[in-house]
Amino acid sequence: MLNAATLEQWKKRLEAMRADRAFMDEYDRRDHVRVRVREEIRSLVGDFLAERMDLGWLRSIFDTRTRGEWDVFGLKGLSGAMFLNTLVKHLPEQSAEVAARLRAVLPPPGSDADARARMQAFHDRLVEFIDLGVTTRRHVQPSRGPFFVSAIWHMEAPESWPAYYESMRKRLAEEGLFERMEDPVASYFRFAEVVRELQVALEVGAWELERLCVWGTESPGSVTHGPEEDDSKPRQSYTVDEAMGELFRSREEFEHLIGLVRHRKNVVLQGPPGVGKTFLASRLADLLVGRRDPEHVCFVQFHPSYAYEDFVQGYRPAKGGGFELRDGPFLRFCEQALRDKDDTYVLIIDEINRGNLGKVLGELMMLIEPDKRDPRWATSLAYADEKDEPFYVPPNLFILGTMNTADRSLAMVDYALRRRFAFVDVEPALDEPTFHRLLASRGASPALVERIRNRVKKVNALIEKDESLGKGFLVGHSYFCTPPAEGGACDDDWYQRIVDYELEPLLREYWFDRPRRAEEATALLLED
């Protein structure tokens, strides 16, 4: 597998790494801590395997310790402590079987065949739980199992069982030595084979090879290597340049908005229907995270019956009768962000003003404030048990809301919420060149593009001057952004359908008490 030229490159890199004293000193300190932590983890797992400790205690201690010094092995993330948490949380009725399966798979294997058989059986059983409807792939991801299992094997025999670190996989893939397979178990054993061959050829130990794989890509002191990537969903980076190709906004305006979100942490995008508020929020979220990663973006929509018990925490009907305390999307997402403090998480609340905000947010009104995102401000939640730790909103979580300013059914947003959010007006982008290019790319003639621009702007001028309406009711550009039916084009018939079935009903709603004014506005849209 290793040809002479490739091996020579690795040897030269090894020599250069060893000459980098700042890097080597930092990793020497890390490995000194690792020696002790490794024994502590071995002891914990040993107690669990010997049934001196149940699964709940294993999860609790593992979760707590990996938030601190134990993360020297990169074990706090989605494939480490959080993987164990999901097994306990989302397979409660199968806890006895899960514990038995873990006790079967975690002891150090005697051979590759033994290891593969046990890891495969563990993985396949998790898949069966999903296929049977016991849980979902969103809650329990079998593809994360190989890292967790290999990390525990690594504690017992690091030279034989490399932990399935993303940093190592990435470097080996760049060198053409490793290619991830569809089967995560087969992928791990291919990875282990390559790592062992390199250790022998370079005459290095497991931890020094880890160093070599990250040298040149990490600064000294960057010692966590847990694979935060979903094996089934490769991450795609997302940049401002990419965003500018999708959004009908000037670069200066968009960069200002990004800076505002990073500073205030809580921002509401407000505007009339059809100006792309939700789309803009989703692209802002991708940019804040730095990639398109659904694990780091949570989307919820408020409505009049939405309550604290839905959003944060509350008692819900249990399958076996009675009620059980369940965490809502906000609490679950905050817990995920708390365990991954080096990365960014974004919560998007669509139609934020459709809910009764005081009842939905409760004590969160204080906790979401930018200067309260700290353990010092932690407080007990409404349904918390006295044994539960106080809760706080982590600083790496951003909140983006959208608000339709043309919905007459909504009450005004109270001043308490306005003080905690920055509000940004999103207006129609009919003059933006990117909007014109989009229409042209879908077959719209220059004359039709100009007609849409001029006619909608005339109607908007009429709306803005109306004392009962104003800027919050303008017609947005998004009505013209939905692609025509397959095989169709943005032509006069397409435009007529939008006016007849989308814009005319909207205008009638605006001027429900003045139908003649609605007719005049519709006529403006159909002028030649």
Side-chain angles (χ1 to χ4, degrees):
M1 290 177 5
L2 275 174
N3 60 49
T6 301
L7 181 58
E8 187 61 28
Q9 288 178 349
W10 278 86
K11 288 182 176 179
K12 288 181 179 178
R13 187 182 297 131
L14 177 62
E15 183 179 355
M17 181 193 75
R18 287 172 171 170
D20 185 344
R21 290 316 313 165
F23 179 88
M24 294 297 287
D25 288 347
E26 185 66 33
Y27 275 73
D28 283 345
R29 288 190 289 271
R30 180 205 71 170
D31 289 352
H32 179 74
V33 175
R34 271 189 164 194
V35 170
R36 174 172 48 78
V37 169
R38 177 189 165 205
E39 292 304 315
E40 293 173 355
I41 295 175
R42 288 178 67 197
S43 176
L44 175 71
V45 175
D47 285 344
F48 171 72
L49 295 179
E51 300 189 35
R52 292 189 293 269
M53 175 185 297
D54 65 18
L55 179 57
W57 273 108
L58 173 70
R59 183 215 66 81
S60 178
I61 296 172
F62 199 80
D63 179 63
T64 302
R65 298 298 299 275
T66 53
R67 297 189 196 192
E69 201 172 40
W70 282 15
D71 196 45
V72 73
F73 280 103
L75 294 172
K76 74 175 180 181
L78 297 174
S79 298
M82 288 180 67
F83 174 73
L84 189 57
N85 288 343
T86 61
L87 297 183
V88 174
K89 185 170 184 177
H90 297 295
L91 294 169
E93 297 180 9
Q94 292 74 31
S95 60
E97 182 181 349
V98 170
R101 294 274 176 180
L102 285 169
R103 289 188 174 111
V105 73
L106 294 182
S111 66
D112 274 13
D114 173 40
R116 186 186 292 264
R118 287 199 271 140
M119 185 183 283
Q120 191 72 57
F122 181 69
H123 171 272
D124 291 350
R125 185 54 177 158
L126 295 183
V127 172
E128 286 177 5
F129 284 140
I130 295 168
D131 292 342
L132 292 170
V134 174
T135 186
T136 66
R137 196 170 293 274
R138 178 182 178 184
H139 291 141
V140 174
Q141 295 187 11
S143 61
R144 299 194 184 280
F147 173 75
F148 180 77
V149 173
S150 67
I152 301 303
W153 290 349
H154 186 78
M155 298 303 119
E156 290 291 339
E159 304 305 322
S160 300
W161 303 107
Y164 200 28
Y165 288 128
E166 175 64 20
S167 53
M168 296 183 72
R169 299 199 310 256
K170 183 177 179 181
R171 174 53 69 90
L172 295 176
E174 289 172 351
E175 300 287 337
L177 298 176
F178 171 72
E179 184 175 352
R180 185 176 299 166
M181 302 176 184
E182 186 174 347
D183 180 350
V185 175
S187 192
Y188 169 71
F189 282 94
R190 172 62 181 146
F191 166 82
E193 182 182 359
V194 174
V195 169
R196 290 168 186 162
E197 185 177 2
L198 271 173
Q199 287 177 215
V200 172
L202 297 175
E203 299 180 346
V204 297
W207 293 356
E208 188 168 24
L209 184 59
E210 279 183 41
R211 298 187 190 192
L212 188 56
C213 285
V214 301
W215 181 73
T217 63
E218 293 187 357
S219 60
S222 185
V223 296
T224 55
H225 309 295
E228 297 306 309
E229 183 174 87
D230 184 339
D231 293 338
S232 63
K233 300 176 183 176
R235 294 178 173 184
Q236 300 176 358
S237 62
Y238 191 71
T239 64
V240 174
D241 289 335
E242 289 178 271
M244 295 315 301
E246 297 184 290
L247 299 171
F248 308 142
R249 296 282 178 271
S250 69
R251 190 183 189 94
E252 180 181 5
E253 179 187 359
F254 191 57
E255 289 180 341
H256 175 75
L257 180 55
I258 296 166
L260 176 65
V261 175
R262 285 177 174 152
H263 169 64
R264 289 287 288 134
K265 295 189 182 295
N266 309 318
V267 172
V268 170
L269 305 176
Q270 62 180 4
V275 293
K277 300 181 292 293
T278 304
F279 185 82
L280 176 59
S282 70
R283 293 301 179 261
L284 271 172
D286 292 338
L287 202 60
L288 290 166
V289 174
R291 59 191 179 275
R292 287 180 171 168
D293 188 346
E295 293 285 343
H296 288 248
V297 180
C298 178
F299 184 96
V300 298
Q301 187 175 57
F302 282 4
H303 51 78
S305 62
Y306 206 64
Y308 179 94
E309 289 76 11
D310 301 303
F311 186 55
V312 184
Q313 188 181 56
Y315 283 95
R316 316 299 295 175
K319 290 182 179 179
F323 292 85
E324 62 183 3
L325 186 62
R326 292 184 193 171
D327 296 341
F330 183 78
L331 191 56
R332 293 196 301 269
F333 200 55
C334 282
E335 289 175 349
Q336 187 175 339
L338 280 165
R339 295 190 185 98
D340 189 17
K341 295 179 181 179
D342 296 330
D343 216 335
T344 298
Y345 289 77
V346 183
L347 173 68
I348 298 175
I349 305 175
D350 199 35
E351 305 283 8
I352 191 170
N353 57 329
R354 288 188 65 82
N356 185 326
L357 297 174
K359 290 185 177 179
V360 173
L361 297 178
E363 63 272 12
L364 299 182
M365 279 287 210
M366 178 192 75
L367 297 179
I368 63 174
E369 292 184 42
D371 61 346
K372 305 294 191 300
R373 307 285 194 91
D374 188 274
R376 292 175 300 168
W377 293 93
T379 188
S380 294
L381 297 176
Y383 289 92
D385 187 91
E386 60 181 12
K387 297 179 182 178
D388 292 339
E389 292 184 6
F391 171 80
Y392 72 98
V393 178
N396 58 325
L397 186 142
F398 296 83
I399 302 175
L400 299 176
T402 70
M403 189 169 82
N404 183 356
T405 54
D407 195 329
R408 301 177 192 268
S409 67
L410 304 178
M412 295 293 291
V413 175
D414 63 40
Y415 291 112
L417 187 75
R418 286 197 175 275
R419 188 173 68 80
R420 290 163 172 85
F421 281 80
F423 285 76
V424 175
D425 290 327
V426 182
E427 299 180 352
L430 298 163
D431 290 324
E432 283 296 323
T434 46
F435 174 60
H436 301 165
R437 286 195 292 270
L438 174 70
L439 295 179
S441 71
R442 293 175 175 171
S445 66
L448 180 57
V449 173
E450 191 63 17
R451 184 183 181 193
I452 291 171
R453 174 180 171 274
N454 289 335
R455 297 296 171 258
V456 176
K457 288 183 70 175
K458 281 188 176 182
V459 171
N460 280 343
L462 198 64
I463 293 171
E464 190 169 355
K465 290 177 182 178
D466 194 302
E467 292 183 357
S468 65
L469 298 176
K471 290 185 66 175
F473 290 78
L474 300 180
V475 175
H477 55 271
S478 295
Y479 288 100
F480 305 97
C481 293
T482 301
E486 186 176 353
C490 295
D491 53 18
D492 289 341
D493 289 340
W494 163 82
Y495 176 68
Q496 183 73 48
R497 286 193 297 273
I498 292 174
V499 173
D500 289 345
Y501 299 110
E502 298 182 58
L503 297 184
E504 185 177 359
L506 177 71
L507 296 175
R508 286 178 178 172
E509 171 64 24
Y510 282 178
W511 285 296
F512 67 94
D513 55 345
R514 287 172 288 168
R516 187 175 295 277
R517 179 61 61 87
E519 291 173 4
E520 292 173 358
T522 302
L524 283 176
L525 291 172
L526 297 175
E527 279 184 350
D528 291 331

